[in-house]
Amino acid sequence: MSEKLLFNGRYFKIEKIYNRIGDKITALISSGKGEKYIYKSFCVNSCEYENFADKIEFVRTSYNTLANLVPIPKIITFSFEERAFIREFIEGNTLNEINIDEFDNLDINSKIFEFNNKLEQKGYSVHFDPDKYIFADNVLYYLGYSLEKNDI
């Protein structure tokens, strides 16, 4: 029996759970129409380490800034009440899934440099985690929302 997820009054099938910590979950979900998305929830119960209102505002602000600078998956919908959002699913490989010998053939190192350069020119940076990048259709997408303002 497959797991179902109710979000914004609509049911989705959970295809794969990427991460689950307590009541937080990141999962690949699909609609009845075959569309795939990534579902990300935040702590539902009060968490000592996470203030939800601050967290969702941080994600929204970071997303809006990042979307104007570098390729990232589009956020489809936020739900403050459900403490979650759904974003576009991009079929591809994380940098950890790509053989290091292929980096030169795929021009990945220069794409990482270009990505970081675009952020640095505007005074931002992100923590580099190879699992937070997807390479698809010759484009390097950033999957995170942890944008940091550099002291210049």
Side-chain angles (χ1 to χ4, degrees), residues 111-130:
K111 292 182 186 326
I112 293 170
F113 177 79
E114 288 170 24
F115 174 93
N116 288 325
N117 193 37
K118 286 179 183 177
L119 292 177
E120 286 174 9
Q121 287 177 354
K122 298 294 183 182
Y124 295 102
S125 64
V126 295
H127 173 73
F128 184 78
D129 177 351

Side-chain angles (χ1 to χ4, degrees), residues 36-152:
K36 292 183 179 182
Y37 306 98
I38 296 295
Y39 171 83
K40 168 105 173 125
S41 69
F42 298 96
C43 197
V44 175
N45 300 321
S46 64
C47 294
E48 294 175 21
Y49 59 90
E50 188 172 277
N51 177 313
F52 176 70
D54 291 344
K55 179 69 173 180
I56 199 72
E57 189 55 36
F58 174 77
V59 169
R60 285 183 192 189
T61 302
S62 294
Y63 171 78
N64 288 332
T65 301
L66 285 163
N68 288 313
L69 297 173
V70 295
I72 61 171
K74 179 181 178 190
I75 290 182
I76 308 298
T77 186
F78 273 100
S79 173
F80 191 83
E81 297 78 27
E82 296 183 48
R83 299 176 184 237
F85 67 88
I86 290 178
R87 72 162 171 81
E88 171 185 24
F89 171 69
I90 296 176
E91 186 80 44
N93 294 309
T94 67
L95 295 185
N96 270 336
E97 295 170 331
I98 298 172
N99 185 316
I100 194 72
D101 297 331
E102 290 297 309
F103 270 50
D104 285 338
N105 293 342
L106 299 171
D107 202 25
I108 291 175
N109 289 328
S110 68
K111 292 182 186 326
I112 293 170
F113 177 79
E114 288 170 24
F115 174 93
N116 288 325
N117 193 37
K118 286 179 183 177
L119 292 177
E120 286 174 9
Q121 287 177 354
K122 298 294 183 182
Y124 295 102
S125 64
V126 295
H127 173 73
F128 184 78
D129 177 351
D131 285 324
K132 295 282 186 185
Y133 293 84
I134 290 282
F135 188 71
D137 298 323
N138 207 32
V139 176
L140 185 64
Y141 294 90
Y142 180 59
L143 304 180
Y145 302 100
S146 297
L147 185 63
E148 299 171 18
K149 185 76 172 151
N150 295 335
D151 294 328
I152 298 176

